[in-house]
Amino acid sequence: MSGIPAHTLNDGTTLPAIGLGTWPLDDAHAERAVLTALDLGYRLIDTATNYRNETGVGRAIARSGVPREEIVVTTKLPGRHHGYEETLASFEESRRRLGLEQVDLYLIHWPLPRVDKYVDSWRAMIKLREEGLVRSIGVSNFTVEHIERLGTETGVLPAVNQIEMHPYLPQEELRAFHAEKNIVTESWTPLGRGTGLLQDPVVVTIAEAHGVTPGQVVLRWHTQLGALPIPKSADAERQRQNLDIFGFTLGSAQMMAIADRVPQRTGGDPEVHEEF
Ligand SMILES: NC(=O)c1ccc[n+]([C@@H]2O[C@H](COP(=O)([O-])OP(=O)(O)OC[C@H]3O[C@@H](n4cnc5c(N)ncnc54)[C@H](OP(=O)(O)O)[C@@H]3O)[C@@H](O)[C@H]2O)c1
């Protein structure tokens, strides 16, 4: 491994402190991007059934020459497969597309509160973990209320909650709850895709002061807050930069200045967003 710090999860396993996102790459592009990333030292790869690139991700893992046990593969259950039996069947399809014996981290992609089946899916995920088919189980886009319900009804809390997080949406409240429950916060859209964040004069000035790029500043901000970012890049040089963020430290005034902005969500609101 390449000196990437690690998070210890509430189930005793570990995750590297940064990973690679793969949306919206198709199979061929995902295969290429993941191969490059593994070669550069990435060891956490994020995909989902709904990204339709699990086959490409799996091919890259098989071709990479990196020992399988060093790589953490994350995939996600889509909304159309919520429910106990549906989750077991959906997982089996993901595992087949990935070509893996075991998936390292399996997440419920969205809670879909109106459908109200995420607890049934969670029970299936607990079974998959007990059977050793999944190493760690978690959720994505869950609120405090959704997570508390999992705990109350099953006694098992997720190891990870993957949520939209970037300086326009710093998620203080949810992060404080995660810290209390020993749940790792993974940040999706960590670079604020589409918001102009990387051109923001505050971020650019801080980057110049450290002799790094705006992307590196933003990713360092995540890791200093204890969050685990999963930036997507299909470009080898940007992948390299995004991984190289542990050699400098942002000061507390810089940390505050980076997040001192009007809150803005780029994706769906977990209370109402429906994605099948
Ligand atoms: N759980 C969920 O509901 C959910 C939702 C959305 C996303 N995700 C996951 O989170 C991952 C990341 O989120 P995202 O793809 O939305 O956004 P992001 O990682 O914030 O931004 C990706 C964009 O930034 C560019 N980029 C990457 N590194 C850069 C750098 N150093 N400097 C300048 N530009 C850079 C990429 O282009 P190039 O490829 O050309 O470098 C791409 O256009 C996704 O790929 C996916 O795995 C999860």
Side-chain angles (χ1 to χ4, degrees):
M1 295 268 292
S2 47
I4 305 170
H7 291 274
T8 299
L9 305 183
N10 60 18
D11 61 13
T13 67
T14 60
L15 290 183
I18 185 162
L20 180 81
T22 65
W23 178 85
L25 301 171
D26 64 14
D27 278 320
H29 288 93
E31 181 175 350
R32 217 171 304 152
V34 172
L35 264 177
T36 310
L38 290 172
D39 192 44
L40 286 166
Y42 283 82
R43 291 295 181 266
L44 168 58
I45 310 295
D46 185 78
T47 180
T49 300
N50 273 350
Y51 301 170
R52 301 165 69 110
N53 63 16
E54 288 168 310
T55 302
V57 168
R59 281 198 197 122
I61 288 161
R63 283 180 56 197
S64 71
V66 176
R68 171 68 187 94
E69 63 276 12
E70 280 191 22
I71 308 172
V72 177
V73 183
T74 307
T75 193
K76 312 188 192 85
L77 174 78
R80 65 184 177 283
H81 295 154
H82 279 208
Y84 187 85
E85 294 299 336
E86 293 87 339
T87 298
L88 297 179
S90 187
F91 171 77
E92 209 39 49
E93 286 298 301
S94 283
R95 198 166 72 102
R96 185 184 54 75
R97 283 188 294 268
L98 286 162
L100 299 176
E101 289 285 309
Q102 186 192 47
V103 169
D104 304 284
L105 179 60
Y106 195 39
L107 309 179
I108 301 179
H109 206 148
W110 287 89
L112 306 182
R114 186 187 60 87
V115 175
D116 196 22
K117 288 190 188 165
Y118 64 81
V119 179
D120 298 333
S121 290
W122 188 242
R123 289 190 208 284
M125 292 172 78
I126 294 168
K127 178 176 157 68
L128 289 169
R129 191 182 63 177
E130 283 168 0
E131 288 179 347
L133 294 168
V134 175
R135 194 191 76 176
S136 298
I137 53 176
V139 294
S140 179
N141 301 301
F142 273 45
T143 64
V144 169
E145 185 196 334
H146 303 143
I147 293 174
E148 280 183 331
R149 185 162 162 218
L150 295 183
T152 308
E153 297 202 23
T154 71
V156 179
L157 286 175
V160 165
N161 188 15
Q162 184 183 115
I163 55 174
E164 179 178 351
M165 176 171 157
H166 40 72
Y168 290 103
L169 198 66
Q171 299 274 20
E172 281 105 348
E173 222 174 284
L174 203 42
R175 276 191 292 112
F177 173 75
H178 290 165
E180 199 184 298
K181 303 289 182 191
N182 200 10
I183 296 168
V184 168
T185 305
E186 277 193 348
S187 331
W188 62 256
T189 306
L191 297 168
R193 178 181 46 81
T195 62
L197 174 67
L198 301 184
Q199 289 77 45
D200 184 291
V202 172
V203 174
V204 171
T205 304
I206 295 173
E208 284 167 1
H210 285 278
V212 298
T213 67
Q216 288 173 310
V217 164
V218 171
L219 295 171
R220 188 65 181 129
W221 172 86
H222 285 272
T223 61
Q224 283 188 218
L225 288 174
L228 190 169
I230 47 166
K232 173 264 171 183
S233 181
D235 174 83
E237 172 51 24
R238 285 190 288 280
Q239 286 187 356
R240 188 199 60 73
Q241 284 177 20
N242 293 349
L243 196 61
D244 182 18
I245 56 167
F246 300 103
F248 67 101
T249 303
L250 299 167
S252 55
Q254 293 176 330
M255 288 292 288
M256 280 164 70
I258 290 165
D260 184 17
R261 43 196 83 242
V262 179
Q264 181 187 334
R265 221 182 246 289
T266 69
D269 175 350
E271 297 288 4
V272 290
H273 180 78
E274 297 204 333
E275 178 177 306
F276 295 93

